[in-house]
Amino acid sequence: MTDLPELETDPEAVADRRDEVAGAIRDHASGLARALARVQGGDYGRRAFTTDAGEWTLKYEAGDVEFLLFEPRSGEPVYVVSTKQPPEPDALALAARDYAAFVRAFDAWVDSLAGALDDAPTAFPEPTDTSDIVAERERVLARIREVCTTMVGELDRYEGDQYGTFTARVNGSRWELKRDGAQVSYLRVGGSDGIYLLSQYGPPSVPDLKELAPDVAAFVDAYNEHVTELTETAEELEV
């Protein structure tokens, strides 16, 4: 049997050295990613840095490096750090030779931000207190809820169903009072995408309440007319 030539270079040694270099860059780039995330803010982001040999893009996610891409001025781009397979040894070697230049570009960018906030003001006017506005809103809403609770109580008495609604059109808008037994479920103005004056989700805005509160009386009048019609109908019943 003819003797086969032996490999002059051990592939395992090449792979081990590739993993060693890639791991060292990843560990270092992780620190850069954390620093970039702190400066830019947020859990996700990226930034590109230019060197004489090409462009580097550092992308971070959840404060750690997601990928580090090197795009040389000539040749194919290489993901020096990524969540996929490690780069080819020759591509990694090309990127590794420029990695120090990338770090210097990163440092230069950070240095350029020094003093950027020196003149930024930190003294601001005191926010106006809203407690009186909120208290007034609660007072108006409490009265609206009181009236509507009386209405749904009466509706529950004669309709007999556990759930129901009373609707009326006021100044061109559809008002809907929904009840759950004798309790108010909601008072909504303007259909399914409208404004909830009463609901389980929270109060309306003060501007919305200011606009719609004057129409509550007309809505109650519409209810009273509805009850009057029912009363007249009942009086006409014969047994």
Side-chain angles (χ1 to χ4, degrees):
M1 181 178 179
T2 304
D3 291 336
L4 297 176
E6 294 184 359
L7 293 174
E8 296 181 0
T9 303
D10 182 6
E12 291 297 328
V14 174
D16 289 344
R17 179 56 179 165
R18 186 268 315 277
D19 293 345
E20 179 184 355
V21 173
I25 292 178
R26 168 180 279 280
D27 291 343
H28 190 273
S30 293
L32 297 181
R34 288 191 293 273
L36 181 61
R38 289 195 63 193
V39 173
Q40 294 198 151
D43 290 334
Y44 308 93
R46 69 169 69 195
R47 189 168 186 86
F49 302 88
T50 302
T51 67
D52 291 341
E55 183 174 88
W56 293 76
T57 300
L58 176 62
K59 186 176 189 300
Y60 60 89
E61 179 177 343
D64 196 8
V65 58
E66 183 176 2
F67 71 70
L68 177 61
L69 172 66
F70 175 53
E71 299 175 274
R73 297 191 182 279
S74 61
E76 295 296 321
V78 53
Y79 281 91
V80 184
V81 176
S82 75
T83 57
K84 300 179 181 179
Q85 65 186 34
E88 294 289 338
D90 55 348
L92 177 60
L94 176 66
R97 286 193 290 270
D98 194 57
Y99 185 76
F102 157 62
V103 176
R104 288 194 295 270
F106 183 94
D107 288 340
W109 172 70
V110 174
D111 288 343
S112 71
L113 300 176
L117 298 176
D118 287 352
D119 296 330
T122 56
F124 310 109
E126 286 296 323
T128 301
D129 183 73
T130 62
S131 56
D132 290 344
I133 300 173
V134 171
E136 184 64 10
R137 176 179 63 185
E138 294 307 310
R139 183 190 68 80
V140 174
L141 286 177
R143 179 54 183 153
I144 294 175
R145 182 173 291 278
E146 179 184 354
V147 172
C148 287
T149 298
T150 301
M151 292 167 62
V152 298
E154 296 300 325
L155 291 169
D156 182 61
R157 286 178 59 192
Y158 79 77
E159 288 191 351
D161 294 332
Q162 180 66 24
Y163 307 99
T165 59
F166 170 73
T167 62
R169 188 159 292 277
V170 178
N171 288 336
S173 297
R174 185 178 188 272
W175 287 58
E176 180 179 359
L177 176 62
K178 182 174 176 58
R179 63 182 177 84
D180 182 353
Q183 300 298 318
V184 174
S185 179
Y186 64 73
L187 174 61
R188 184 175 65 197
V189 183
S192 60
D193 295 326
I195 298 168
Y196 286 84
L197 289 182
L198 301 174
S199 77
Q200 60 180 332
Y201 303 110
S205 69
V206 171
D208 286 339
L209 182 60
K210 178 181 178 181
E211 178 185 355
L212 296 174
D215 289 335
V216 174
F219 178 64
V220 177
D221 287 340
Y223 163 81
N224 290 338
E225 292 175 6
H226 173 67
V227 173
T228 298
E229 291 175 359
L230 291 175
T231 301
E232 292 174 351
T233 300
E235 291 174 350
E236 295 175 357
L237 292 177
E238 295 182 359
V239 179

PDB file of all heavy atoms in Angstrom, residues 151 166 217-231:
ATOM      1  N   MET A 151     -80.152  55.478  37.037  1.00  0.00           N
ATOM      2  CA  MET A 151     -80.754  55.078  35.765  1.00  0.00           C
ATOM      3  C   MET A 151     -80.672  53.571  35.560  1.00  0.00           C
ATOM      4  O   MET A 151     -81.674  52.927  35.209  1.00  0.00           O
ATOM      5  CB  MET A 151     -80.069  55.815  34.613  1.00  0.00           C
ATOM      6  CG  MET A 151     -80.328  57.321  34.599  1.00  0.00           C
ATOM      7  SD  MET A 151     -79.226  58.227  33.473  1.00  0.00           S
ATOM      8  CE  MET A 151     -79.672  57.512  31.882  1.00  0.00           C
ATOM      9  N   PHE A 166     -78.670  51.200  27.458  1.00  0.00           N
ATOM     10  CA  PHE A 166     -79.580  52.249  27.030  1.00  0.00           C
ATOM     11  C   PHE A 166     -78.758  53.196  26.165  1.00  0.00           C
ATOM     12  O   PHE A 166     -77.685  53.664  26.571  1.00  0.00           O
ATOM     13  CB  PHE A 166     -80.163  53.019  28.220  1.00  0.00           C
ATOM     14  CG  PHE A 166     -80.919  54.256  27.812  1.00  0.00           C
ATOM     15  CD1 PHE A 166     -82.159  54.155  27.203  1.00  0.00           C
ATOM     16  CD2 PHE A 166     -80.361  55.522  27.993  1.00  0.00           C
ATOM     17  CE1 PHE A 166     -82.843  55.290  26.786  1.00  0.00           C
ATOM     18  CE2 PHE A 166     -81.045  56.650  27.589  1.00  0.00           C
ATOM     19  CZ  PHE A 166     -82.292  56.537  26.980  1.00  0.00           C
ATOM     20  N   ALA A 217     -76.809  66.081  30.826  1.00  0.00           N
ATOM     21  CA  ALA A 217     -78.208  66.430  31.119  1.00  0.00           C
ATOM     22  C   ALA A 217     -79.117  66.049  29.953  1.00  0.00           C
ATOM     23  O   ALA A 217     -80.230  65.537  30.161  1.00  0.00           O
ATOM     24  CB  ALA A 217     -78.315  67.929  31.407  1.00  0.00           C
ATOM     25  N   ALA A 218     -78.662  66.271  28.723  1.00  0.00           N
ATOM     26  CA  ALA A 218     -79.471  65.904  27.556  1.00  0.00           C
ATOM     27  C   ALA A 218     -79.623  64.391  27.465  1.00  0.00           C
ATOM     28  O   ALA A 218     -80.674  63.883  27.042  1.00  0.00           O
ATOM     29  CB  ALA A 218     -78.827  66.448  26.276  1.00  0.00           C
ATOM     30  N   PHE A 219     -78.587  63.655  27.864  1.00  0.00           N
ATOM     31  CA  PHE A 219     -78.669  62.198  27.864  1.00  0.00           C
ATOM     32  C   PHE A 219     -79.688  61.720  28.900  1.00  0.00           C
ATOM     33  O   PHE A 219     -80.490  60.813  28.642  1.00  0.00           O
ATOM     34  CB  PHE A 219     -77.294  61.601  28.158  1.00  0.00           C
ATOM     35  CG  PHE A 219     -77.275  60.106  28.227  1.00  0.00           C
ATOM     36  CD1 PHE A 219     -77.579  59.329  27.124  1.00  0.00           C
ATOM     37  CD2 PHE A 219     -76.944  59.463  29.412  1.00  0.00           C
ATOM     38  CE1 PHE A 219     -77.558  57.935  27.183  1.00  0.00           C
ATOM     39  CE2 PHE A 219     -76.918  58.079  29.495  1.00  0.00           C
ATOM     40  CZ  PHE A 219     -77.228  57.316  28.375  1.00  0.00           C
ATOM     41  N   VAL A 220     -79.697  62.354  30.061  1.00  0.00           N
ATOM     42  CA  VAL A 220     -80.683  62.002  31.096  1.00  0.00           C
ATOM     43  C   VAL A 220     -82.085  62.353  30.614  1.00  0.00           C
ATOM     44  O   VAL A 220     -83.048  61.591  30.846  1.00  0.00           O
ATOM     45  CB  VAL A 220     -80.353  62.713  32.422  1.00  0.00           C
ATOM     46  CG1 VAL A 220     -81.437  62.404  33.472  1.00  0.00           C
ATOM     47  CG2 VAL A 220     -78.990  62.273  32.930  1.00  0.00           C
ATOM     48  N   ASP A 221     -82.215  63.484  29.927  1.00  0.00           N
ATOM     49  CA  ASP A 221     -83.527  63.847  29.370  1.00  0.00           C
ATOM     50  C   ASP A 221     -84.006  62.788  28.382  1.00  0.00           C
ATOM     51  O   ASP A 221     -85.208  62.442  28.354  1.00  0.00           O
ATOM     52  CB  ASP A 221     -83.446  65.205  28.669  1.00  0.00           C
ATOM     53  CG  ASP A 221     -83.334  66.363  29.657  1.00  0.00           C
ATOM     54  OD1 ASP A 221     -83.690  66.167  30.830  1.00  0.00           O
ATOM     55  OD2 ASP A 221     -82.882  67.452  29.227  1.00  0.00           O
ATOM     56  N   ALA A 222     -83.084  62.266  27.568  1.00  0.00           N
ATOM     57  CA  ALA A 222     -83.452  61.225  26.606  1.00  0.00           C
ATOM     58  C   ALA A 222     -83.919  59.976  27.334  1.00  0.00           C
ATOM     59  O   ALA A 222     -84.871  59.301  26.903  1.00  0.00           O
ATOM     60  CB  ALA A 222     -82.254  60.904  25.712  1.00  0.00           C
ATOM     61  N   TYR A 223     -83.268  59.657  28.458  1.00  0.00           N
ATOM     62  CA  TYR A 223     -83.701  58.515  29.267  1.00  0.00           C
ATOM     63  C   TYR A 223     -85.100  58.763  29.836  1.00  0.00           C
ATOM     64  O   TYR A 223     -85.962  57.875  29.810  1.00  0.00           O
ATOM     65  CB  TYR A 223     -82.695  58.279  30.399  1.00  0.00           C
ATOM     66  CG  TYR A 223     -83.233  57.411  31.505  1.00  0.00           C
ATOM     67  CD1 TYR A 223     -83.253  56.021  31.386  1.00  0.00           C
ATOM     68  CD2 TYR A 223     -83.743  57.991  32.674  1.00  0.00           C
ATOM     69  CE1 TYR A 223     -83.769  55.236  32.403  1.00  0.00           C
ATOM     70  CE2 TYR A 223     -84.256  57.207  33.696  1.00  0.00           C
ATOM     71  CZ  TYR A 223     -84.263  55.835  33.553  1.00  0.00           C
ATOM     72  OH  TYR A 223     -84.775  55.043  34.546  1.00  0.00           O
ATOM     73  N   ASN A 224     -85.310  59.968  30.354  1.00  0.00           N
ATOM     74  CA  ASN A 224     -86.619  60.272  30.932  1.00  0.00           C
ATOM     75  C   ASN A 224     -87.718  60.181  29.881  1.00  0.00           C
ATOM     76  O   ASN A 224     -88.839  59.701  30.164  1.00  0.00           O
ATOM     77  CB  ASN A 224     -86.605  61.675  31.553  1.00  0.00           C
ATOM     78  CG  ASN A 224     -85.745  61.715  32.811  1.00  0.00           C
ATOM     79  OD1 ASN A 224     -85.509  60.693  33.438  1.00  0.00           O
ATOM     80  ND2 ASN A 224     -85.284  62.916  33.175  1.00  0.00           N
ATOM     81  N   GLU A 225     -87.428  60.656  28.675  1.00  0.00           N
ATOM     82  CA  GLU A 225     -88.417  60.540  27.592  1.00  0.00           C
ATOM     83  C   GLU A 225     -88.690  59.079  27.277  1.00  0.00           C
ATOM     84  O   GLU A 225     -89.844  58.691  27.006  1.00  0.00           O
ATOM     85  CB  GLU A 225     -87.910  61.264  26.350  1.00  0.00           C
ATOM     86  CG  GLU A 225     -87.836  62.782  26.508  1.00  0.00           C
ATOM     87  CD  GLU A 225     -87.224  63.447  25.288  1.00  0.00           C
ATOM     88  OE1 GLU A 225     -86.971  62.716  24.294  1.00  0.00           O
ATOM     89  OE2 GLU A 225     -86.998  64.668  25.313  1.00  0.00           O
ATOM     90  N   HIS A 226     -87.650  58.275  27.312  1.00  0.00           N
ATOM     91  CA  HIS A 226     -87.803  56.845  27.061  1.00  0.00           C
ATOM     92  C   HIS A 226     -88.712  56.213  28.111  1.00  0.00           C
ATOM     93  O   HIS A 226     -89.623  55.425  27.786  1.00  0.00           O
ATOM     94  CB  HIS A 226     -86.430  56.181  27.082  1.00  0.00           C
ATOM     95  CG  HIS A 226     -86.461  54.689  27.006  1.00  0.00           C
ATOM     96  ND1 HIS A 226     -86.878  53.999  25.881  1.00  0.00           N
ATOM     97  CD2 HIS A 226     -86.110  53.732  27.922  1.00  0.00           C
ATOM     98  CE1 HIS A 226     -86.787  52.699  26.096  1.00  0.00           C
ATOM     99  NE2 HIS A 226     -86.332  52.509  27.332  1.00  0.00           N
ATOM    100  N   VAL A 227     -88.493  56.559  29.387  1.00  0.00           N
ATOM    101  CA  VAL A 227     -89.325  56.002  30.455  1.00  0.00           C
ATOM    102  C   VAL A 227     -90.762  56.500  30.330  1.00  0.00           C
ATOM    103  O   VAL A 227     -91.721  55.743  30.560  1.00  0.00           O
ATOM    104  CB  VAL A 227     -88.735  56.376  31.835  1.00  0.00           C
ATOM    105  CG1 VAL A 227     -89.681  55.950  32.966  1.00  0.00           C
ATOM    106  CG2 VAL A 227     -87.371  55.720  32.017  1.00  0.00           C
ATOM    107  N   THR A 228     -90.931  57.759  29.944  1.00  0.00           N
ATOM    108  CA  THR A 228     -92.276  58.299  29.771  1.00  0.00           C
ATOM    109  C   THR A 228     -93.035  57.540  28.686  1.00  0.00           C
ATOM    110  O   THR A 228     -94.223  57.210  28.843  1.00  0.00           O
ATOM    111  CB  THR A 228     -92.200  59.793  29.406  1.00  0.00           C
ATOM    112  OG1 THR A 228     -91.574  60.510  30.475  1.00  0.00           O
ATOM    113  CG2 THR A 228     -93.591  60.360  29.171  1.00  0.00           C
ATOM    114  N   GLU A 229     -92.347  57.242  27.594  1.00  0.00           N
ATOM    115  CA  GLU A 229     -92.983  56.472  26.521  1.00  0.00           C
ATOM    116  C   GLU A 229     -93.381  55.086  27.004  1.00  0.00           C
ATOM    117  O   GLU A 229     -94.461  54.580  26.661  1.00  0.00           O
ATOM    118  CB  GLU A 229     -92.025  56.363  25.334  1.00  0.00           C
ATOM    119  CG  GLU A 229     -91.782  57.686  24.616  1.00  0.00           C
ATOM    120  CD  GLU A 229     -90.734  57.557  23.529  1.00  0.00           C
ATOM    121  OE1 GLU A 229     -90.203  56.428  23.359  1.00  0.00           O
ATOM    122  OE2 GLU A 229     -90.432  58.565  22.858  1.00  0.00           O
ATOM    123  N   LEU A 230     -92.494  54.471  27.818  1.00  0.00           N
ATOM    124  CA  LEU A 230     -92.824  53.154  28.351  1.00  0.00           C
ATOM    125  C   LEU A 230     -94.037  53.223  29.277  1.00  0.00           C
ATOM    126  O   LEU A 230     -94.906  52.345  29.263  1.00  0.00           O
ATOM    127  CB  LEU A 230     -91.623  52.579  29.115  1.00  0.00           C
ATOM    128  CG  LEU A 230     -90.403  52.184  28.274  1.00  0.00           C
ATOM    129  CD1 LEU A 230     -89.265  51.766  29.181  1.00  0.00           C
ATOM    130  CD2 LEU A 230     -90.758  51.057  27.322  1.00  0.00           C
ATOM    131  N   THR A 231     -94.106  54.299  30.075  1.00  0.00           N
ATOM    132  CA  THR A 231     -95.228  54.461  31.006  1.00  0.00           C
ATOM    133  C   THR A 231     -96.532  54.629  30.247  1.00  0.00           C
ATOM    134  O   THR A 231     -97.566  54.018  30.579  1.00  0.00           O
ATOM    135  CB  THR A 231     -94.991  55.683  31.914  1.00  0.00           C
ATOM    136  OG1 THR A 231     -93.773  55.505  32.632  1.00  0.00           O
ATOM    137  CG2 THR A 231     -96.142  55.846  32.906  1.00  0.00           C
TER     138      THR A 231
END
